[in-house]
Amino acid sequence: MKENQPLLESYKLEDLTLNNRVVMAPMTRNRANNAENTPTDLHAEYYKQRSGAGLIITEGSQISERAVGYINTPGIYTDAQTEGWKKVTTAVHEEGGKIFIQLWHCGRMSHPKFHDGDKPLAPSPVNPNEKSYTPDGFEDTVEPKAMTLVEIKETIQEFKKAAQNAKDAGFDGVEIHSSNGYLIHQFFNKNSNTRTDDYGGSIQNRARFFFEVIDAINEVWDETRIGVRLNPSLHGTFGITATEETIPTFDYIVEKLNAYNLAYLHLSEPFTDVSEVDFLVSEIAKHYRPIYKGTLMINGGFDQEKGNKVINEGHADLVAYAKLYISNPDLPERFKRNAELNEWNEDTFYTPGAKGYTDYPVLEEEPVSE
């Protein structure tokens, strides 16, 4: 690998300078195993270890009690949670890192056990027929409750309040999780959104909730500190079955995002092989780079070589890494030295404690030549 790697170049997000273009992707790790789902000193250590990333995006952090969908995930809706995240941002900033929090609402990808027996909220009463990770293990999802207009407005305000808490916790910005079959993505999809009011039917109506969330958060954060995440060709997983309107829907959304001066648009390459689905796009970065005029971040199976290539070819500005960041806290340094990478242990992805979380080794410092 050549020394002049695009991944290792600095990058400006308006007034925020990233030391490199290697982004730590948001990853659920289920370490907030306490009564208040509060980030702990262990979270602070985990993110501090990875402060060499150009940008860290935290695991999804639920915006309210109604947003919860998995056990032991940290929230950002109470004072205690905000204080817990403050430990994380302080630790990262002390190491010279930059960190955004991902704001998350699971919608129908949840279970009544998280909501005192009530059904989880969703655009429409359509069961995703997936599994929810509950305190009693993986259980079948249920038919959710269709959100009333009042509940939609309340949820938008929950996003706004969570964004304010994130600012109070010292984050550099926020990422709206509008991806991977969760609440906002459920509004986009015709199969999960069968509403006939202003939030359903046409492409514009199905995108309405998303843009109202952005506008609400923009009352707290400058647009340049707001990122959004989309997964246009998600199909056959996370409860989402794509339709012939899926790509036109995302084309509309991405084109409309050009009216905002966002920190970035974070896109995922397909999670499954969609090459035989003639109405979906197999190469997301290539498809959306000509459409989107701002900073484009891409993730999905990239290694060092592919990451440098996608930037060099002009299809993306930033590359987000997930599993490689679990097992390699010093990933940019390893790229710089073309060093061997640690292998991750999937058995410890979602288990409590330090094992498989903060115990991966880092490279020894290179000796300084005289």
Side-chain angles (χ1 to χ4, degrees):
M1 188 72 63
K2 295 179 181 178
E3 284 301 310
N4 55 336
Q5 299 180 51
L7 280 171
L8 302 180
E9 296 172 355
S10 63
Y11 187 82
K12 287 190 74 69
L13 292 178
E14 291 293 327
D15 62 336
L16 204 62
T17 300
L18 310 185
N19 292 329
N20 56 65
R21 303 180 187 222
V22 183
V23 176
M24 179 178 169
M27 292 174 284
T28 300
R29 299 305 310 275
N30 302 90
R31 258 63 179 194
N33 53 322
N34 54 70
E36 288 209 51
N37 294 135
T38 299
T40 66
D41 291 341
L42 191 64
H43 289 81
E45 178 63 21
Y46 171 71
Y47 286 110
K48 178 182 179 179
Q49 290 176 348
R50 290 153 179 81
S51 297
L55 177 66
I56 292 172
I57 308 170
T58 73
E59 61 212 281
S61 191
Q62 56 263 14
I63 60 165
S64 68
E65 286 188 86
R66 299 192 296 190
V68 178
Y70 299 86
I71 62 166
N72 301 336
T73 54
I76 185 65
Y77 55 92
T78 70
D79 291 343
Q81 290 164 352
T82 302
E83 288 302 309
W85 279 119
K86 196 175 290 184
K87 294 180 183 179
V88 173
T89 62
T90 299
V92 170
H93 289 150
E94 284 176 350
E95 296 296 316
K98 305 291 192 299
I99 183 167
F100 278 36
I101 188 172
Q102 189 186 61
L103 303 179
W104 192 28
H105 194 306
C106 291
R108 66 181 188 165
M109 292 292 288
S110 185
H111 194 277
K113 287 187 176 178
F114 293 112
H115 310 290
D116 297 322
D118 292 337
K119 292 181 175 182
L121 297 180
S124 303
V126 182
N127 190 336
N129 294 312
E130 290 284 346
K131 296 286 185 180
S132 176
Y133 190 12
T134 79
D136 298 310
F138 285 99
E139 299 191 54
D140 292 337
T141 54
V142 302
E143 179 186 288
K145 177 187 182 295
M147 297 169 76
T148 64
L149 291 176
V150 169
E151 287 167 334
I152 287 175
K153 299 302 182 187
E154 288 173 347
T155 303
I156 292 168
Q157 290 307 305
E158 288 171 353
F159 270 101
K160 180 180 176 180
K161 181 63 166 67
Q164 180 61 60
N165 289 344
K167 179 170 274 193
D168 294 343
F171 282 98
D172 296 298
V174 299
E175 176 178 287
I176 302 168
H177 198 352
S178 29
S179 184
N180 297 3
Y182 297 116
L183 181 66
I184 296 176
H185 197 158
Q186 292 160 25
F187 272 93
F188 297 155
N189 182 265
K190 279 192 75 173
N191 290 320
S192 53
N193 181 353
T194 60
R195 303 178 72 95
T196 56
D197 59 10
D198 287 347
Y199 293 91
S202 69
I203 288 173
Q204 292 81 357
N205 280 359
R206 284 185 276 114
R208 186 184 306 277
F209 177 70
F210 171 60
F211 286 103
E212 289 183 352
V213 168
I214 295 177
D215 292 341
I217 291 175
N218 190 205
E219 295 175 18
V220 175
W221 286 92
D222 189 272
E223 288 178 5
T224 61
R225 296 300 182 96
I226 302 171
V228 300
R229 188 179 189 192
L230 301 172
N231 193 337
S233 282
L234 188 71
H235 180 57
T237 187
F238 288 98
I240 295 295
T241 301
T243 73
E244 291 187 0
E245 278 196 21
T246 292
I247 294 303
T249 298
F250 283 99
D251 287 354
Y252 165 80
I253 291 167
V254 172
E255 180 62 55
K256 187 169 179 177
L257 286 174
N258 284 320
Y260 296 80
N261 188 22
L262 296 179
Y264 58 80
L265 167 61
H266 183 180
L267 297 175
S268 297
E269 295 291 353
F271 284 2
T272 56
D273 183 3
V274 298
S275 58
E276 300 299 315
V277 185
D278 58 8
F279 53 80
L280 290 179
V281 172
S282 292
E283 295 183 294
I284 293 297
K286 287 183 181 179
H287 179 83
Y288 285 104
R289 175 73 286 177
I291 298 174
Y292 188 62
K293 308 309 179 189
T295 294
L296 194 152
M297 181 190 302
I298 191 67
N299 78 33
F302 286 88
D303 57 16
Q304 182 181 2
E305 183 179 358
K306 291 177 181 176
N308 280 308
K309 185 170 184 269
V310 75
I311 296 174
N312 201 40
E313 292 178 344
H315 299 308
D317 303 298
L318 305 168
V319 182
Y321 293 87
K323 292 177 182 177
L324 283 180
Y325 246 124
I326 288 178
S327 54
N328 296 277
D330 53 350
L331 190 61
E333 183 63 26
R334 287 176 186 267
F335 285 172
K336 180 181 178 182
R337 297 198 216 172
N338 296 308
E340 186 176 349
L341 300 177
N342 300 321
E343 293 186 9
W344 58 78
N345 178 7
E346 291 196 24
D347 292 340
T348 58
F349 280 1
Y350 310 114
T351 54
K355 184 174 175 58
Y357 192 60
T358 55
D359 59 353
Y360 284 102
V362 297
L363 294 171
E364 294 182 5
E365 288 189 21
E366 287 188 302
V368 178
S369 57
E370 294 295 332

